[in-house]
Amino acid sequence: MNFIPRTSRDPVVGTSKPRLLGTLGPGLISGASDDDPTAIATYSQAGAKFGYALCWLMPLVYPLMIMVQQVSARIGRTTGNGLAGNIRRHYPPWLLNASVGLLLIANTIQLAADLGIMGDALALLIGGPRLLHVVLFGALCVGLQVFMQYTRYVSILKWTTLSLLAYVATVLLAGVSWGDVAAGMIPTTLAFDRDRVTTVVAIFGAAISPFLFFWQSSQEAEDQRVRPEREPLIDAPEQAPRAIERIRLDTYVGMAVATFVGLSIMITAAATLHAGGITDIRTSAQAAEALRPAAGPLAMAVFSLGIIGTGLLAVPVLAGSAAYAIGEARRWPVGLSRRPLEAKAFYGTVSLATLIGVGVNFSGIDPIQALYWSAVVNGVVAVPVMAVMMLMASKPDVMGEHTIPPSLRVGGWIAVAIMVLSVLGLAVTSLTGAA
C-alpha cells in the first residue's frame, strides 16, 4: 500500500469527506494500545476486587487522557520533533536523561509483562509452551516494525484496534446488572486503604501512560516526514486550524475507545469474577480462564483473543516509543518510515527493547508482580513527564504562536495534580501500612 498524497494537508471530517479511518492516526493507535494486556489485567483486578465500586474512575480519566494526549500531539505537530527531541533542545541534559531513563524503566517492565500475558493467553487457547509463544510474539513484533513499509504498518496497527471489540462482546456475554453499574458510577465509598489507593494509582497509570506521550508526539512528527505537504506549524501557521481540529478528533476518538474498553473489562470482571467470589486476579490470562465457569467458554476465548490482539498492537508501540525517545535524545536518524540501514541504531533499539522484554520472562521474575506494578510505575513516572510537557507546550520559544489554549493548560495541570495526589496517597498508605 503506497502512500497517495491527500488534497488537504490535515483532513478532518467534513473536508473533502475522507474516510474516518484515514483521518484517524496517532491518537487512535495511542488509545487502542493504551488497553494493552497490562491495562487489561489492571482493570480485571479492579473489577474482581471491588466489583462496580471503582467504575466511576473511567469517566473521570477520559477528559484527563484527552487533555494530556492532545498536548503531546500538538507538541509534535507544531515543532516537527517528538517529546524527547524537544526536551533535548530546550532543557538541560539531566532533565532529558531523567525523562528518557524513567520511560525506559516503565517500558521495560510493561513490555515484559505484556509479552508474558500474550504467551499465557495463546497457551490457554491452543496449548503449548508459554515461553515459546513469548519468543514468537517478540519476533513477530520486531519483524513487522523493521521490515514492513511504514504506511502499510500503520494501516495494520489501525485495523488491529478492532481487536478491542472482543471486550465489548465479552461484556454482553457476562450477564451484567446494569443497575449496579449505574450505582458504581457514583463514588459513594472513599475508603483510604492501601489496596484501594494502589488500585486507583494503577488505573491512572494504565490509562495515562508515559509511553503514549512519547509515541503520539513522535508519530505526529513522523507523519510530516512521510507526508511532505505537512509542515511544522511553527513554520506553516496556515495549516494550524485543520491540523489542530484533526488532532482533536483523533484524540477524542482514540481516548474514547480506550476508556470504553477499559470500563467494559472492569464491568465484565465485576459481573463474573467478583460476583462469583473471585477477588484476586493479577493477570489478564487468569481473568480469561476464570471467565470460563462464570460466562462460558466462548467468553473466555473471546477475552483471550482480545489479549493477543491488543498485545500485538501495544508491544510495538512500547518498543517504538523507547526507540523514538532514545534516538531523539541522541540525535540519531529515527522513524519507522526510514529503511533499516538508514536508522540502524533506531531499529536496533526497537529490537533490543523487545528482546529484553522477552528475556525478562526467562528470568524467573514473578510475572504477577511485574504485571500489576508496571501500571503503578507508569502512574509514578507520568507525573514529572506530564509536568515537563505542560511547561513546554506553554512556552512561545518552543511552540511559537501555537502555545496551548487556556482550556488545555488548565485541564492538563488538573491532570498533573490528580496524578500527584494519587501517588502521594499511595506513598502515605504504604508508609503507614493502612490496610
Side-chain angles (χ1 to χ4, degrees):
M1 181 186 300
N2 296 321
F3 171 72
I4 301 175
R6 300 178 185 275
T7 56
S8 62
R9 290 187 167 99
D10 278 279
V12 295
V13 172
T15 59
S16 69
K17 298 183 180 178
R19 290 179 298 179
L20 181 60
L21 193 62
T23 300
L24 303 177
L28 174 65
I29 294 171
S30 295
S33 61
D34 194 33
D35 288 318
D36 68 327
T38 298
I40 294 167
T42 300
Y43 299 138
S44 297
Q45 174 69 347
K49 184 176 285 291
F50 299 106
Y52 302 112
L54 295 181
C55 286
W56 60 272
L57 279 171
M58 299 312 295
L60 173 64
V61 300
Y62 176 57
L64 304 181
M65 294 165 70
I66 288 174
M67 298 290 182
V68 174
Q69 291 302 135
Q70 274 196 80
V71 171
S72 70
R74 287 173 69 136
I75 289 173
R77 183 66 181 88
T78 299
T79 66
N81 291 282
L83 192 54
N86 277 291
I87 296 174
R88 173 180 56 78
R89 294 176 61 178
H90 299 285
Y91 290 93
W94 68 264
L95 183 58
L96 172 66
N97 293 332
S99 300
V100 174
L102 289 171
L103 175 74
L104 292 179
I105 292 170
N107 279 23
T108 299
I109 297 172
Q110 195 161 344
L111 260 172
D114 282 357
L115 286 166
I117 301 163
M118 292 164 68
D120 286 336
L122 188 57
L124 192 63
L125 285 173
I126 66 172
R130 166 186 176 273
L131 291 177
L132 176 60
H133 299 330
V134 170
V135 172
L136 292 176
F137 281 132
L140 175 62
C141 291
V142 170
L144 289 173
Q145 286 180 287
V146 174
F147 298 110
M148 182 167 285
Q149 183 185 12
Y150 174 74
T151 50
R152 184 172 299 169
Y153 179 63
V154 170
S155 178
I156 288 176
L157 289 181
K158 289 183 184 180
W159 284 108
T160 305
T161 62
L162 294 176
S163 64
L164 295 172
L165 293 175
Y167 299 108
V168 179
T170 304
V171 78
L172 296 176
L173 298 171
V176 175
S177 170
W178 294 106
D180 291 339
V181 173
M185 292 296 180
I186 303 172
T188 55
T189 302
L190 298 175
F192 196 69
D193 60 87
R194 183 168 52 203
D195 280 350
R196 192 177 296 265
V197 172
T198 301
T199 302
V200 169
V201 176
I203 289 173
F204 277 120
I208 304 175
S209 298
F211 78 92
L212 296 179
F213 314 156
F214 286 87
W215 171 264
Q216 190 162 351
S217 63
S218 294
Q219 282 296 288
E220 287 290 340
E222 179 90 353
D223 278 355
Q224 293 172 44
R225 289 191 287 270
V226 176
R227 306 182 181 193
E229 74 277 10
R230 288 187 182 178
E231 302 175 57
L233 300 184
I234 203 167
D235 297 324
E238 71 279 1
Q239 296 184 14
R242 285 184 173 179
I244 291 171
E245 183 60 26
R246 176 189 56 79
I247 287 171
R248 185 180 294 114
L249 172 65
D250 192 17
T251 306
Y252 268 70
V253 172
M255 299 309 115
V257 169
T259 304
F260 182 68
V261 170
L263 181 60
S264 296
I265 294 167
M266 196 181 296
I267 291 171
T268 298
T272 56
L273 308 182
H274 183 80
I278 301 172
T279 60
D280 191 23
I281 294 293
R282 296 297 183 90
T283 74
S284 45
Q286 287 178 338
E289 178 62 35
L291 282 174
R292 190 196 303 267
L298 177 59
M300 183 275 293
V302 171
F303 199 91
S304 299
L305 287 171
I307 292 169
I308 294 170
T310 57
L312 289 173
L313 175 63
V315 167
V317 173
L318 282 161
S321 66
Y324 276 116
I326 295 177
E328 291 169 6
R330 299 289 174 253
R331 304 190 186 198
W332 297 340
V334 299
L336 295 169
S337 61
R338 299 182 189 273
R339 297 181 184 277
L341 293 180
E342 296 174 338
K344 295 177 184 177
F346 172 80
Y347 285 109
T349 303
V350 168
S351 303
L352 181 61
T354 308
L355 180 62
I356 292 173
V358 171
V360 168
N361 284 275
F362 286 84
S363 67
I365 293 176
D366 184 355
I368 293 176
Q369 292 300 316
L371 171 72
Y372 191 61
W373 283 99
S374 66
V376 177
V377 169
N378 269 330
V380 175
V381 170
V383 172
V385 176
M386 288 167 64
V388 171
M389 195 166 65
M390 291 303 303
L391 291 171
M392 189 185 308
S394 302
K395 294 178 66 173
D397 59 337
V398 177
M399 303 286 285
E401 63 184 82
H402 304 291
T403 55
I404 55 175
S407 57
L408 275 183
R409 198 169 303 175
V410 172
W413 281 114
I414 289 174
V416 174
I418 290 176
M419 294 294 285
V420 169
L421 289 174
S422 67
V423 172
L424 288 176
L426 173 63
V428 169
T429 54
S430 297
L431 290 173
T432 60

